[in-house]
Amino acid sequence: MTGSSLIALGLSWWQAIVAIVVGNILATIFIVLNSLPGAYYHVGFPVVNRYVWGMYGSQFVIWNRIFLSLNAFQAWIGGECVYVCLQAIWPSLEARIPNHMSAATGMTTAEFVGYIIFMVLSLPVIYVRPHKLQSLFYVSAAIVIVFEIVLLVWSLATMGSHGFGDTLSSGAPGSGWMIAFGIISTIGSICAGILNQNDYARFARRPRDAIYGQLVSAGLYAILCGVIGILVTAATQNRYGQAYWNLPNLLSAVIETGGSRSRAAAFFGGAALIISQLGVNVPGNALSGGFDLAATFPKYINIRRGAYLTALLSIAANPWKLVNTATVFVTVLSSYSVFVAPMIGLMIAAYLGVHQCKIKVPDLFVGDARSLYWYTSGVNWRAILAWICGTVPSLPGFVAYVNPAIQVPVGLTHLYYICFLSGAFISGTVYVFLHYVFPDRRLQEFVAVAPPARVLMEEYRERLDSVEVIRVGAPKLAGED
């Protein structure tokens, strides 16, 4: 969807592919860098931000990630896939389920029913413990890879004289700045995942499992999916009279213009995408929100309860508004980068630059001034100032892009086009600079006298592994979750 929507915004096919390749390579680099604390120290996203923002200051980042989880446009896409399956069974679905939705909502009652069905299908998957979801990931990944290859072969083999249309043959190419915007939008599609990647890297048995696994898979498969999206959209454009950048819409077109065999093919295609979206939406939104809510209210909410609460609240976020058009879709992706990229830059700069990979893990769980990461009344003001410095420069261009009636200097618009890179770099640099000019004495002393980072990592991993062995071997206590 990202690659195809870039074409709909005015990039040529090769420019869209360049944006996808460069964007996903950069995203992979950020994914790996920002998952290092989880891979080496087995600490999750909410805990990591305590040494960045302070014990209380970290709540700002956690709540931002919770709200990102509530957007859940992947769940709406999953609902569209359910709609395709229902439409394949009953081509007159819209007549069977009369529409009572306002045109302003951008959806029909039948589409909303598909969304609710997908949410219900997600509930038993959310119940599964995070570390036991690996089988689901295997199945969903295998299914979607097979489906996309079949879809690509079908679209190319059956396009005949229709050809690729003007998607691959005409149209003025976009400017270099629009390519840059495409790159940032590509990174934005995984931006929220980059932010809390420690929540999943911490489950790795060995650090290299997380590092090499992400290096090999993250960029490669994202690039493959994006290129397939462009080719399929181009190969079907003339056949159906328009470029379908939304895959469920393409399957609906197959149903509407074909016979029973086309309906059967579309049904199985929709079913494959439902499984795929379960493998994306549950860990990317429900569980991510569950992790953060559990860290915020540990006395009342565990991961499972938090995940269910996130799924319930996501309905109020109107996710159907986020994918109606290519312009809205890409704007949503790029807007993530404006606010989230500086947070990512802070996390990477803190771990590699300020703390030099040395983390005093026990102090991350001490909620008073005894903690090394208490800073000033539980808040690291340097992080706040650095985040503001990384966010503010992109805001004028972002506002002007959302509302064309607002005019800003072209330089600010261009800065918005590269907001992920500029925001992460500015925030990270300012954070390191502030810690250098206004150092925290206790933190500075710990970094100076602590053993090498490699020794600390091995010590904490061994301690955690020994605790895990004891916990697993012990009998389960009454009421233990």
Side-chain angles (χ1 to χ4, degrees):
M1 290 178 64
T2 304
S4 303
S5 62
L6 293 178
I7 291 179
L9 284 180
L11 295 184
S12 67
W13 66 272
W14 65 266
Q15 289 178 325
I17 290 179
V18 169
I20 290 170
V21 172
V22 175
N24 280 297
I25 290 175
L26 291 174
T28 300
I29 294 173
F30 281 103
I31 287 172
V32 173
L33 289 178
N34 204 39
S35 65
L36 293 178
Y40 282 103
Y41 287 97
H42 294 304
V43 289
F45 162 74
V47 177
V48 166
N49 276 283
R50 293 172 184 172
Y51 67 70
V52 181
W53 294 76
M55 302 301 290
Y56 288 149
S58 63
Q59 291 297 312
F60 172 72
V61 188
I62 294 173
W63 277 104
N64 269 274
R65 185 61 183 91
I66 291 173
F67 289 133
L68 282 176
S69 300
L70 298 181
N71 283 336
F73 63 74
Q74 290 97 342
W76 177 251
I77 298 170
E80 290 183 326
C81 300
V82 173
Y83 178 90
V84 168
C85 292
L86 297 177
Q87 186 184 23
I89 300 173
W90 299 290
S92 58
L93 181 63
E94 290 292 342
R96 288 174 175 266
I97 306 178
N99 181 36
H100 299 288
M101 295 290 182
S102 168
T105 63
M107 67 173 175
T108 65
T109 301
E111 290 173 331
F112 186 72
V113 168
Y115 168 68
I116 295 300
I117 292 175
F118 179 82
M119 296 295 287
V120 171
L121 293 175
S122 301
L123 297 182
V125 182
I126 294 175
Y127 188 82
V128 179
R129 294 177 181 273
H131 60 280
K132 294 184 178 180
L133 282 172
Q134 192 172 32
S135 298
L136 171 65
F137 296 155
Y138 286 154
V139 171
S140 64
I143 287 177
V144 75
I145 289 174
V146 172
F147 167 74
E148 288 192 357
I149 293 175
V150 170
L151 182 69
L152 177 63
V153 172
W154 164 78
S155 62
L156 296 178
T158 60
M159 68 179 180
S161 59
H162 294 296
F164 283 109
D166 60 9
T167 298
L168 298 186
S169 60
S170 64
S175 67
W177 284 107
M178 286 308 297
I179 297 176
F181 184 53
I183 292 172
I184 298 306
S185 298
T186 300
I187 302 175
S189 67
I190 191 62
C191 193
I194 298 174
L195 181 66
N196 74 313
Q197 189 64 11
N198 283 294
D199 281 338
Y200 297 97
R202 70 188 179 96
F203 289 112
R205 294 182 179 179
R206 296 169 296 182
R208 67 181 185 182
D209 293 342
I211 295 172
Y212 294 138
Q214 293 172 136
L215 279 175
V216 172
S217 63
L220 175 63
Y221 291 118
I223 291 170
L224 178 65
C225 290
V227 172
I228 288 177
I230 291 173
L231 294 177
V232 169
T233 300
T236 57
Q237 179 180 3
N238 282 345
R239 188 182 322 184
Y240 299 113
Q242 61 176 296
Y244 284 106
W245 63 275
N246 188 331
L247 189 50
N249 290 347
L250 174 60
L251 295 179
S252 291
V254 172
I255 294 172
E256 294 167 358
T257 59
S260 59
R261 295 175 62 183
S262 296
R263 288 166 53 192
F267 174 85
F268 287 110
L273 292 177
I274 290 173
I275 297 174
S276 170
Q277 287 305 112
L278 286 173
V280 173
N281 184 58
V282 170
N285 293 300
L287 285 181
S288 293
F291 287 139
D292 299 337
L293 285 171
T296 305
F297 306 105
K299 186 176 180 179
Y300 306 101
I301 299 177
N302 57 21
I303 294 175
R304 185 177 290 159
R305 293 171 187 167
Y308 279 123
L309 183 60
T310 300
L312 178 63
L313 294 176
S314 67
I315 299 177
N318 298 337
W320 45 86
K321 289 282 191 179
L322 306 181
V323 292
N324 284 339
T325 65
T327 303
V328 174
F329 180 70
V330 174
T331 301
V332 170
L333 297 186
S334 60
S335 67
Y336 283 2
S337 300
V338 173
F339 304 99
V340 175
M343 299 177 186
I344 296 173
L346 288 176
M347 294 173 68
I348 295 174
Y351 182 71
L352 298 179
V354 175
H355 299 271
Q356 300 178 24
C357 305
K358 299 178 181 181
I359 306 300
K360 192 175 182 182
V361 176
D363 278 32
L364 293 172
F365 301 91
V366 177
D368 54 41
R370 293 174 299 166
S371 172
L372 179 64
Y373 308 110
W374 187 248
Y375 298 109
T376 305
S377 301
V379 178
N380 187 357
W381 59 268
R382 304 165 190 81
I384 298 175
L385 184 58
W387 181 80
I388 293 174
C389 290
T391 302
V392 170
S394 300
L395 289 179
F398 170 61
V399 173
Y401 187 83
V402 174
N403 185 0
I406 299 177
Q407 300 294 323
V408 300
V410 66
L412 294 178
T413 302
H414 291 165
L415 188 61
Y416 165 63
Y417 287 164
I418 58 171
C419 58
F420 187 97
L421 298 179
S422 62
F425 177 78
I426 292 174
S427 287
T429 302
V430 172
Y431 185 83
V432 173
F433 174 77
L434 290 175
H435 267 279
Y436 177 78
V437 177
F438 306 100
D440 182 87
R441 181 183 56 80
R442 295 170 62 197
L443 176 62
Q444 190 179 45
E445 291 176 355
F446 170 76
V447 173
V449 304
R454 176 179 53 81
V455 175
L456 284 176
M457 295 170 184
E458 292 178 355
E459 174 187 340
Y460 288 123
R461 284 204 305 274
E462 290 175 0
R463 183 184 303 178
L464 182 64
D465 290 341
S466 63
V467 171
E468 182 68 15
V469 169
I470 295 174
R471 190 181 68 82
V472 172
K476 191 171 183 179
L477 301 177
E480 184 180 11
D481 186 7

